[in-house]
Amino acid sequence: TGSSCINAEYCKQWYQRRVRGPTSRTSGIYQDTKERGAAFGFHAGWEQPHWFALEGERRDTPVCYGRKHWHHVVGREVDMILNRVGVADLSPFGKFELEGPGATKFLSSMVANTLPKVGRVNISHMLTPEGRVYAELTISRLGKDRYYLVTGSGSELHDLRWLKHHIPEGSSFTLTNVTEEMGVLGLAGRHARDVLTKLTDEDLSHEGFPFLECREMEVAGVPVQATRISYTGELGWEIHHNAKHTAHLYHRLLEAGALYDIGDFGTYAVNSLRLEKGFRGWGAEMNLDKNPYEAGLGPFIKPNKKTPFIGQEAVKAMQNTEQKVKLVMLNFQADNVDPYGNETVWYGNKVVGNTTSGGYSYQRNCSMCFAYVPPALGNIGDKVYVELMGRRYEATDVEDPMYETEATRTRNALKAAATL
């Protein structure tokens, strides 16, 4: 029934947060963030902050269908990232080291994108033989045959199993899961560069440390691998390091950021910002039901690259064919409820699609969601209806992304300045 579907979908959020096994995976700053107001969720066995409550604010997780008491808290964290700077514990990321003779040939055969040059990073996708999106990886190339692979916390074993399954017998390279051994802190926001500059001698200018560059360096006296990337789409770095140093780095970042009123942020703020920036999520926008062109991943797919890869023939055949569905971004006004994903999309009295993930846009003050719809309804300005809690809300197809990333804004500003 309709009510049972609502219960199954929206209560799923509560179960994902609260159901625990006998033990949990925690990072080196679990207790520190707990004392600073973290409200934790459960991600692939990890305790990870969803948001941070200030003194006197609730951090419980009630079962309810409307906007929760943390709605304004997440908005506060979004504002902090956009206008100041924040730090997040990203240690639950799945992390693998791939190294040795033949590593480059193997990895190239597994992903549809070309591999990054040494010192660079890119986003690549592993496909099934049928050309469906099996996984998304952030690939950092640290040497000729040395790579550091990052995936979402929920994809750790899923991606590792796929990679191991395809390693040829007799290979000389190694693939090691270092998820537990490596901690990750995310520094993001307008003043991220100002904060990090206080803790390193490296040149962190836009020219000295460009977007999508990775570098082995020291931060606060600790050897790290820093990557200029952030899932918020704002200026930021991911600081990967031996997990024994997480607490030290965390406190030094907070000290260095005190002048800029640095604070903590959780995964809910990241989700709002990544939606606004048009970043797809694996398991939602990207899955085995959709091909990369339907998901809007065309720029990351190189059908004609020299190294054969899994799914290559399939994407060659589909790249110039009309797709059955199109991923769009929808905006609408709702009554104290926001889309989460898997809600029905209507056109007239006909079901035409479904949402994949959603939330609230604090910059536009409206609900937002990704949705798959027929291409005929995938033009900017088109109207459909999203069903939430038994009510249909008129939604408008808007530009994707809703907001440019910091890297794009900076690049455009530099180009404009060069023409003056």
Side-chain angles (χ1 to χ4, degrees), residues 17 51 60-62 68-75 268 362:
R17 288 192 294 269
W51 80 93
D60 59 317
T61 311
K68 316 298 189 296
H69 60 82
W70 62 77
H71 179 76
H72 76 283
V73 176
V74 176
Y268 286 178
Y362 292 90

Side-chain angles (χ1 to χ4, degrees), residues 404-419:
E404 293 179 332
T405 64
E406 177 275 332
T408 299
R409 299 196 304 266
T410 299
R411 183 171 62 249
N412 291 341
L414 292 173
K415 287 182 179 179
T419 62

